[in-house]
Amino acid sequence: MDCVLVLIAAPGSGAIGAEAVALLRRHGAGEPRWLAEGEALEVPDFAGRDDFLAAIAALPLDANLVPLANRSKRLLIADMDSTMIEQECIDELGVMAGIGDRIKRITARAMRGELDFEGALKERVRLLKGLDAGIIDTILRERISFMPGGKELIATMKANGAYTALVSGGFTPFTSKVAEALGFDEHQANGLIVADGVLTGEVGSPILGQQAKLDALRRISERLGISTADALAVGDGANDLAMLGAAGMGVALHAKPQVQAKARFRVNHGDLTALLYLQGYETAEFALP
């Protein structure tokens, strides 16, 4: 299968300079195609690739071998927490409830796959019992920030005919606002039960976790009349693994080590625009959000 090696650096870093290009040539690579000057390029796969990758291991670069067939994807299916936004929403709820450290420890273990997702979610939500539901709007307004490159990613893929879905093991009061702000076509997440204006400590049933994300990928692909090979999935936690594995391009974004170990594509230095470079887009082709 024909492939290209895509090198991506952090935006604004200019980290792909003369040293990296010289190393490519020294190891037998062809002339690079620049996707973003100093930040992203691709070259056809070459015999000395493994030696080249070993030589750049210490550089702040992401290197991914991408098949050319079916490269531009028709569906984006994305995790929300620590993927499309820079926070974990349940951790922010925990901070507001005065138990942030306790909640964060459980979240970290769940995202590393050390705890059952459903059980860990129920445990954390129980700890939030009695929290004023109005806090959610405060968190959205004051504590939630978007991952850089997300708006460009969604706008560009939609401009090129793709459908976009936000699928989260978090909560619908957050996904509804994030999906609207970023331009997603649809979203799904868990429901937080509220009574008399406060959280009851219960989460809606059924709880949507790893299987629900995989089911969403399959359901949306079927509805669109495409294969899951036509999809790009992105996430960072253990409950994203099934979705990442089933999509044609499953990207671990700044992910937990065990997620990176299993994902075919990894981005640790770039932002969400890296997903456009992996599909072969140049910055001149990015759509304005």
Side-chain angles (χ1 to χ4, degrees):
M1 180 184 296
D2 289 336
C3 297
V4 289
L5 181 68
V6 182
L7 299 184
I8 303 168
S13 68
I16 306 179
E19 178 185 1
V21 173
L23 281 171
L24 279 168
R25 290 175 177 148
R26 193 176 307 150
H27 288 86
E31 191 65 23
R33 173 196 171 209
W34 285 99
L35 304 171
E37 191 70 30
E39 294 176 12
L41 62 76
E42 64 181 45
V43 291
D45 195 16
F46 54 101
R49 166 172 46 88
D50 291 342
D51 290 337
F52 167 75
L53 293 178
I56 66 164
L59 297 178
L61 302 176
D62 296 312
N64 288 275
L65 191 64
V66 182
L68 289 173
N70 199 24
R71 187 177 180 186
S72 181
K73 300 305 181 185
R74 299 171 61 189
L75 168 63
L76 169 68
I77 187 159
D79 173 45
M80 179 179 70
D81 296 295
S82 298
T83 300
M84 298 308 303
I85 62 174
E86 296 183 304
Q87 297 77 24
E88 294 282 337
C89 289
I90 196 163
D91 290 355
E92 298 303 319
L93 287 166
V95 170
M96 291 300 196
I99 52 172
D101 289 343
R102 188 175 176 185
I103 294 279
K104 287 177 181 178
R105 284 195 296 270
I106 300 170
T107 299
R109 293 188 65 196
M111 291 300 97
R112 291 196 300 264
E114 297 172 3
L115 298 175
D116 169 69
F117 177 82
E118 181 171 334
L121 185 66
K122 288 181 176 178
E123 179 182 359
R124 286 172 290 171
V125 173
R126 277 197 299 270
L127 294 171
L128 299 173
K129 183 177 180 179
L131 186 65
D132 187 336
I135 289 294
I136 293 173
D137 288 334
T138 301
I139 292 172
L140 283 163
R141 185 173 60 252
E142 299 179 1
R143 299 182 65 88
I144 298 301
S145 55
F146 299 125
M147 193 70 73
K151 290 185 177 181
E152 291 85 350
L153 169 66
I154 294 164
T156 302
M157 290 192 68
K158 289 179 70 171
N160 285 274
Y163 188 83
T164 58
L166 184 67
V167 295
S168 174
F171 308 110
T172 53
F174 293 98
T175 57
S176 61
K177 297 296 185 181
V178 171
E180 180 182 7
L182 292 177
F184 279 98
D185 293 303
E186 68 172 81
H187 69 96
Q188 73 171 42
N190 292 295
L192 277 173
I193 308 302
V194 176
D196 299 323
V198 300
L199 303 187
T200 67
E202 300 171 298
V203 62
S205 183
I207 290 177
L208 306 180
Q210 179 166 197
Q211 185 61 46
K213 292 187 176 191
L214 176 60
D215 291 344
L217 168 62
R218 291 170 172 166
R219 181 183 69 252
I220 296 170
S221 296
E222 182 176 0
R223 190 178 77 219
L224 296 175
I226 63 176
S227 164
T228 56
D230 295 310
L232 188 162
V234 59
D236 74 302
N239 67 328
D240 297 312
L241 278 170
M243 174 179 77
L244 298 181
M249 183 179 287
V251 182
L253 181 79
H254 300 181
K256 313 305 180 285
Q258 61 273 40
V259 179
Q260 293 193 43
K262 295 180 180 179
R264 185 175 179 188
F265 303 95
R266 293 173 291 280
V267 173
N268 291 314
H269 301 284
D271 64 13
L272 283 164
T273 59
L275 277 63
L276 293 172
Y277 298 136
L278 292 176
Q279 294 178 82
Y281 289 101
E282 301 178 11
T283 50
E285 300 174 291
F286 289 5
L288 295 177

